[in-house]
């Protein structure tokens, strides 16, 4: 998610977020100068939140996804500690699993990407088994949102984090647009429950959509049904 544009209609945020962002600390890991990386503890917090909100997606096994920016670049991922490192397996779409207890026993361990900072992003992935590839449960998306909030809030500029909190939190306010990426470009995305439907806004690049996870008039069993662009472009 682009945090500087997530608040709908909030020009003040988008014009001040850069000034509020602290300079990134430069690191050199696995052959890349200042690679994209995130602390293992961020993922631990996300998994703990998934346990807390288990009722949102009781059949799902929460994991994560690594996205390249721009899409399509092949990436690798490693868990890196002070004295050891190990590869993390990615499926062809960038999905991976983690345990709350890292194989490398180091509280300061990082997940490090084979790409420079800003060229990749981590996202939670919650998928109830048995659904078609073109269908998502709203409860799964709500859990993803809760996981994303605890993963990223400490990395947000103070002003954006505080504004989100004043709005009721990332996942609980209609003033915040929460987007969800998909592997393919989309022609459309529609929220469906019984005889009720709602066409959802797509991201500018059509590789995701904005879902009303805050709106309790839609149950966790509501479905987002999307139609991909047939030729992928």
């Amino acid at each position: 998610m682009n945090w500087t544009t997530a608040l709908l209609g909030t020009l003040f945020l988008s014009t001040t977020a850069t000034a509020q962002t602290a300079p990134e600390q430069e690191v050199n890991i696995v052959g890349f100068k200042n690679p994209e990386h995130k602390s293992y503890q961020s993922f631990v917090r996300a998994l703990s939140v998934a346990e807390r909100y288990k009722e949102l997606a009781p059949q799902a096994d929460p994991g994560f996804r690594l996205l390249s920016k721009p899409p399509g670049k092949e990436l690798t991922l490693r868990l890196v500690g002070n004295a050891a490192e190990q590869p993390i397996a990615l499926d062809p779409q960038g999905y991976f699993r983690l345990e709350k207890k890292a194989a490398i026993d180091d509280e300061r361990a990082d997940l490090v990407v084979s790409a420079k900072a800003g060229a990749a992003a981590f996202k939670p992935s919650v998928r109830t088994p048995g659904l078609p590839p073109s269908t998502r449960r709203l409860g799964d998306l709500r859990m993803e949102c809760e996981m994303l909030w605890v993963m990223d809030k400490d990395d947000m500029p103070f002003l954006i984090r505080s504004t989100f909190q004043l709005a009721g939190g990332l996942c609980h306010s209609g003033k915040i647009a929460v987007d969800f990426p998909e592997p393919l470009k989309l022609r459309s995305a529609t929220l469906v429950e019984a005889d009720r439907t709602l066409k959802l806004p797509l991201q500018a690049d059509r590789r995701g959509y904005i879902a009303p996870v805050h709106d309790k008039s839609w149950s966790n069993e509501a479905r987002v049904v999307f139609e991909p662009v047939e030729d992928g472009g």
Side-chain angles (χ1 to χ4, degrees):
M1 172 177 291
N2 184 343
W3 299 119
T4 61
T5 57
L7 287 179
L8 294 177
T10 311
L11 179 62
F12 178 68
L13 270 181
S14 60
T15 56
T16 58
T18 301
Q20 293 292 325
T21 305
E24 291 188 7
Q25 182 180 359
E26 188 172 285
V27 295
N28 290 276
I29 310 175
V30 295
F32 283 83
K33 184 177 181 181
N34 198 26
E36 184 64 48
H37 66 285
K38 199 171 191 65
S39 74
Y40 192 88
Q41 292 305 311
S42 297
F43 298 92
V44 171
R45 289 193 294 270
L47 292 172
S48 295
V49 163
E51 291 176 355
R52 188 186 316 162
Y53 288 96
K54 182 69 174 177
E55 73 279 0
L56 295 177
Q59 299 180 49
D61 181 16
F64 303 94
R65 187 170 171 224
L66 178 62
L67 305 175
S68 66
K69 299 192 295 186
K73 182 178 179 180
E74 186 175 349
L75 300 174
T76 61
L77 183 63
R78 286 183 172 272
L79 175 62
V80 179
N82 285 334
E85 64 179 68
Q86 71 173 45
I88 301 293
L90 300 172
D91 84 353
Q93 294 182 342
Y95 294 105
F96 64 97
R97 300 288 179 187
L98 289 176
E99 301 294 334
K100 289 179 66 176
K101 177 64 175 177
I104 294 176
D105 190 12
D106 183 348
E107 290 188 357
R108 292 175 293 178
D110 287 324
L111 268 70
V112 182
V113 185
S114 61
K116 292 183 178 180
F122 294 102
K123 299 292 184 182
S125 176
V126 179
R127 292 178 178 269
T128 293
L131 295 178
S134 60
T135 301
R136 301 292 309 278
R137 281 182 72 256
L138 189 60
D140 295 4
L141 301 182
R142 285 170 171 154
M143 181 181 283
E144 284 188 9
C145 185
E146 299 292 353
M147 293 172 69
L148 181 66
W149 173 237
V150 298
M151 282 177 66
D152 284 1
K153 67 179 179 180
D154 290 343
D155 298 329
M156 293 179 189
F158 173 78
L159 180 61
I160 294 180
R161 182 173 65 249
S162 299
T163 304
F164 281 5
Q165 290 171 332
L166 287 173
L170 175 65
C171 311
H172 303 281
S173 172
K175 298 178 181 179
I176 303 174
V178 184
D179 59 326
F180 297 90
E182 289 294 336
L184 300 176
K185 284 189 176 182
L186 304 180
R187 189 180 306 278
S188 66
T190 305
L191 185 61
V192 179
E193 186 168 31
D195 57 354
R196 183 184 180 194
T197 63
L198 176 67
K199 189 171 183 178
L200 302 180
L202 300 181
Q203 294 177 351
D205 63 1
R206 295 183 294 162
R207 290 185 178 272
Y209 49 87
I210 296 170
V213 292
H214 69 284
D215 188 347
K216 301 304 183 185
S217 71
W218 297 90
S219 79
N220 291 331
E221 297 303 325
R223 303 290 200 265
V224 175
V225 179
F226 49 84
E227 179 186 359
V229 175
E230 291 182 4
D231 60 3

